[in-house]
Amino acid sequence: MASPAIGVAIEISLDTVESDYGSDFSPEEEEIVTQLLSGQHSRDDNPIVNNVERDEPQRVLRFPRIFGRAERSVLFQMARAADQEAEQTSQAIDERKQSPEVAKSVTESKPRARETSIENSENLGETTLSEDTVAKPEPEDTRSPLERFRTAPKKTLSVSDLVAPAWCELQYWYTLRTPSGKKKRTKEMKKGTKVHEKLEAQVHTTVRVEVATKEDAFGLRIWNIIQGLRTLRTTGQTRELEVWGTIDGLVVNGVIDELNYICPDAEFGGYPDLEDTLQQPTITKSAPTNQTTISDFFKATGGSTLEEAAKAITKHRTETNKVYLCDVKTRSVKSLPSGPSMRPTKMQLMLYHKLLSDLTTNAVDFSILIDRYRLDPTRVFSDSLIAQVGSLNEEYDALSEPARSQESEPSWSQDSMSQLLAHNNLALLWSYMIEEFQQTMPYGVNSLGEVLKVEYRSQVNGEIVGFKTFAMSEEDLKTYIDHEMEWWRGARKPEGVVVEEAYKCRSCDFAETCEWRLEKIEEAKQNARTARKAKRKASN
């Protein structure tokens, strides 16, 4: 097992250098060893184990959620029933794959794979590793990681690809070399996905849409971005907003968990020294005696009802035009990460900020995306796609009409059918999407808040555990990206963790065979022996 292996290695290095002159380790080294032996780490913070974002785009259409729509709409009831049937079929297939009879037949039909179990210090149980998660010896391949794993016809680079190595570059390298090229989904990963789905359901209603061409599929993704931006302007919040951009001339794709108009920490609106001042988790407390009452809130906004107050807040949002990014992480423990464990999340949110900034300022060269995805920008969308989107949006508009005010935006059904007909290919729809970005964020980069937020939720019930905020730093992001692209382009070899972060090895599937780790253990043992000899020589 990976965890015990580390423990044994450390015990040998300590026991074999036993001395009458005290410890051979400095106080700093003893602190590191203590951390290793106590297992004070969490798999929750590893972006390789816990997906940063979903791998494949879903072919669904998104609408702002309206309570009771499913009960009132026959069309939505039919669409929802089809979704549930598809979900039940998928679950039945998964259950069949996991049944003892099927597992036995698979075992008997092919040689038994080498299995390894890893110990989880956060009491998550033991995970059995299949051959899919073990990096097998293979002939030396001199191609760069970019050429091997992210060159057409294979998938493009994702935000996950760029930030996951911030945990451990070598671990991500080993993961890419497994047959599937990614971490096998665990129970914890599935729990996290469910939490994200519940959060999205609070903002959007999704309906599956059939696509006839790959241009239809990409067009649907663009249309969902347009819908997401409209939802942000209308309700003050949107979730699961997809973004594209280019980094070092390469296409990069990502999905932002949440955008809203609320500054994560209004006290630091000027963003001074956020790294040092905004690292404490939020603790839920009872309301203080001087807290603003509901009635006082209505008076402050100039309204007497919740609806009037909402209008006033929406108007204020339009005037300020600051959009803030938030990422949601799920955890199996109540503690929050700190130090190096925060690095992947920081880089993730900073990268989202850059991609969003580039889209807002129309700095993304769409032709690069077209070439990379091998799309025809002038191919007209299928009649089926336009009809589906148009009819569903018309149904949405009819249901939302009673709640629509004269000051709200034009009807969505009018937008869907007429706008899709007017922008009936990728080139036209992309331009229309850029217009929506500029309408939502009219001041370009200045419309984006510089305070970035990560929200931590329980894997068990989805409740908020706490949050952390930090400042956007273009310099830090550039330094990190430049370093990572050196590895992706093959200019250097992948790097393992530094000694101070060796606790990460305890939850690594590849710890048993990791060359970097084995070298560091041998190096530590050799240093200890040298120190022992030096002390003995000095005593003589």
Side-chain angles (χ1 to χ4, degrees):
M1 294 189 294
S3 296
I6 297 176
V8 170
I10 294 175
E11 289 169 7
I12 292 174
S13 64
L14 292 175
D15 296 340
T16 56
V17 297
E18 189 173 326
S19 170
D20 296 330
Y21 303 100
S23 173
D24 291 317
F25 293 91
S26 67
E28 293 78 12
E29 290 172 332
E30 288 181 353
E31 183 178 351
I32 295 172
V33 172
T34 301
Q35 185 180 30
L36 282 168
L37 294 176
S38 63
Q40 294 178 354
H41 72 282
S42 174
R43 293 169 60 87
D44 297 337
D45 305 321
N46 187 346
I48 304 172
V49 174
N50 298 315
N51 288 346
V52 172
E53 53 202 357
R54 64 172 183 265
D55 295 316
E56 299 297 334
Q58 299 175 350
R59 294 179 178 179
V60 297
L61 184 64
R62 290 186 173 86
F63 305 90
R65 185 186 179 193
I66 295 181
F67 292 98
R69 175 193 300 155
E71 288 71 22
R72 289 180 283 162
S73 167
V74 175
L75 183 58
F76 273 93
Q77 285 179 3
M78 295 173 62
R80 184 63 63 206
D83 287 351
Q84 292 176 350
E85 183 177 351
E87 183 67 22
Q88 291 173 358
T89 302
S90 177
Q91 291 180 356
I93 294 175
D94 290 341
E95 290 175 359
R96 183 174 182 276
K97 288 180 178 179
Q98 296 172 5
S99 66
E101 292 78 9
V102 175
K104 181 179 179 181
S105 63
V106 172
T107 303
E108 293 176 348
S109 63
K110 61 183 181 180
R112 182 177 181 81
R114 175 180 179 269
E115 296 183 347
T116 309
S117 60
I118 60 174
E119 183 179 293
N120 191 323
S121 65
E122 302 298 344
N123 297 323
L124 296 180
E126 292 190 351
T127 302
T128 299
L129 299 181
S130 67
E131 60 182 359
D132 196 42
T133 60
V134 178
K136 297 180 178 180
E138 57 183 27
E140 183 178 0
D141 193 325
T142 58
R143 292 176 298 168
S144 68
L146 188 64
E147 292 174 316
R148 291 180 62 178
F149 307 111
R150 294 297 181 262
T151 299
K154 296 180 179 179
K155 62 178 289 188
T156 62
L157 278 173
S158 66
V159 171
S160 303
D161 289 327
L162 294 177
V163 304
W167 179 263
C168 176
E169 211 169 63
L170 200 57
Q171 185 180 359
Y172 197 59
W173 167 239
Y174 286 143
T175 301
L176 288 173
R177 291 164 57 191
T178 60
S180 65
K182 59 184 179 181
K183 171 72 179 180
K184 186 177 181 180
R185 285 181 61 80
T186 63
K187 292 181 180 179
E188 288 68 41
M189 294 166 67
K190 293 177 181 178
K191 289 178 181 178
T193 298
K194 289 183 178 179
V195 171
H196 279 79
E197 289 175 347
K198 288 181 179 179
L199 290 175
E200 184 182 8
Q202 296 174 1
V203 179
H204 295 127
T205 294
T206 60
V207 179
R208 292 182 185 272
V209 174
E210 296 296 327
V211 295
T213 66
K214 58 183 180 180
E215 285 75 18
D216 278 1
F218 202 85
L220 181 61
R221 294 165 71 178
I222 296 177
W223 185 254
N224 278 329
I225 295 176
I226 294 172
Q227 300 284 57
L229 294 172
R230 292 176 175 177
T231 302
L232 175 61
R233 295 199 301 268
T234 304
T235 68
Q237 180 189 45
T238 193
R239 290 188 183 274
E240 302 297 327
L241 188 80
E242 191 167 13
V243 288
W244 291 281
T246 56
I247 299 294
D248 203 19
L250 301 169
V251 174
V252 177
N253 170 244
V255 180
I256 302 174
D257 276 352
E258 180 184 348
L259 293 175
N260 58 58
Y261 289 99
I262 302 174
C263 179
D265 201 312
E267 181 181 352
F268 297 93
Y271 324 124
D273 301 322
L274 282 173
E275 291 291 338
D276 299 326
T277 57
L278 298 180
Q279 291 300 316
Q280 297 300 321
T282 295
I283 301 176
T284 303
K285 298 181 179 179
S286 58
T289 56
N290 61 346
Q291 179 172 313
T292 303
T293 63
I294 292 295
S295 58
D296 290 337
F297 168 75
F298 286 147
K299 292 178 182 179
T301 58
S304 59
T305 66
L306 182 60
E307 182 178 358
E308 292 178 0
K311 290 180 181 179
I313 293 174
T314 301
K315 181 179 180 181
H316 175 68
R317 286 170 179 161
T318 303
E319 292 172 350
T320 57
N321 250 332
K322 283 285 186 180
V323 176
Y324 295 91
L325 287 76
C326 175
D327 190 68
V328 177
K329 301 295 184 188
T330 58
R331 298 182 66 75
S332 60
V333 294
K334 293 184 178 181
S335 61
L336 300 186
S338 60
S341 298
M342 280 289 295
R343 189 187 306 129
T345 301
K346 287 184 177 181
M347 293 302 110
Q348 177 188 354
L349 277 164
M350 289 182 187
L351 187 51
Y352 283 152
H353 191 282
K354 173 177 171 47
L355 296 177
L356 194 59
S357 298
D358 289 346
L359 285 170
T360 302
T361 56
N362 196 20
V364 179
D365 188 346
F366 186 50
S367 65
I368 297 179
L369 273 68
I370 289 297
D371 292 341
R372 181 60 178 85
Y373 288 111
R374 299 181 178 180
L375 300 168
D376 182 354
T378 61
R379 183 173 184 175
V380 176
F381 297 136
S382 68
D383 293 339
S384 173
L385 176 68
I386 296 177
Q388 289 178 86
V389 174
S391 61
L392 289 170
N393 272 41
E394 183 177 357
E395 183 75 11
Y396 162 82
D397 197 59
L399 291 170
S400 60
E401 191 64 36
R404 190 181 300 280
S405 66
Q406 295 180 352
E407 297 180 4
S408 60
E409 295 190 357
S411 69
W412 291 37
S413 63
Q414 176 185 351
D415 282 345
S416 63
M417 187 62 76
S418 61
Q419 295 295 348
L420 274 177
L421 289 173
H423 307 87
N424 61 353
N425 61 44
L426 290 177
L428 295 174
L429 192 61
W430 178 271
S431 297
Y432 183 55
M433 180 196 71
I434 296 299
E435 294 176 8
E436 289 285 335
F437 267 110
Q438 294 173 343
Q439 182 179 350
T440 307
M441 304 169 209
Y443 304 111
V445 177
N446 292 329
S447 292
L448 286 176
E450 296 292 311
V451 180
L452 307 176
K453 174 184 176 182
V454 52
E455 181 179 274
Y456 296 95
R457 289 179 175 265
S458 168
Q459 289 180 356
V460 179
N461 51 29
E463 293 183 357
I464 296 177
V465 176
F467 71 86
K468 290 193 174 186
T469 53
F470 51 91
M472 170 65 189
S473 172
E474 294 184 6
E475 182 179 355
D476 290 348
L477 178 63
K478 184 179 186 305
T479 300
Y480 173 79
I481 293 297
D482 288 347
H483 184 67
E484 283 309 312
M485 290 311 300
E486 289 178 356
W487 169 65
W488 273 104
R489 291 190 179 279
R492 62 175 178 81
K493 293 183 178 181
E495 300 171 349
V497 297
V498 295
V499 175
E500 292 77 9
E501 299 175 29
Y503 61 89
K504 297 177 180 178
C505 298
R506 293 180 62 88
S507 61
C508 179
D509 297 346
F510 311 101
E512 292 264 353
T513 56
C514 176
E515 296 178 2
W516 179 282
R517 171 183 162 276
L518 296 176
E519 288 176 1
K520 291 299 179 183
I521 290 176
E522 185 59 37
E523 181 180 319
K525 291 166 64 176
Q526 184 60 41
N527 290 339
R529 294 190 189 102
T530 302
R532 182 186 62 178
K533 291 179 180 179
K535 284 187 176 182
R536 287 180 175 175
K537 184 176 181 180
S539 63
N540 295 331

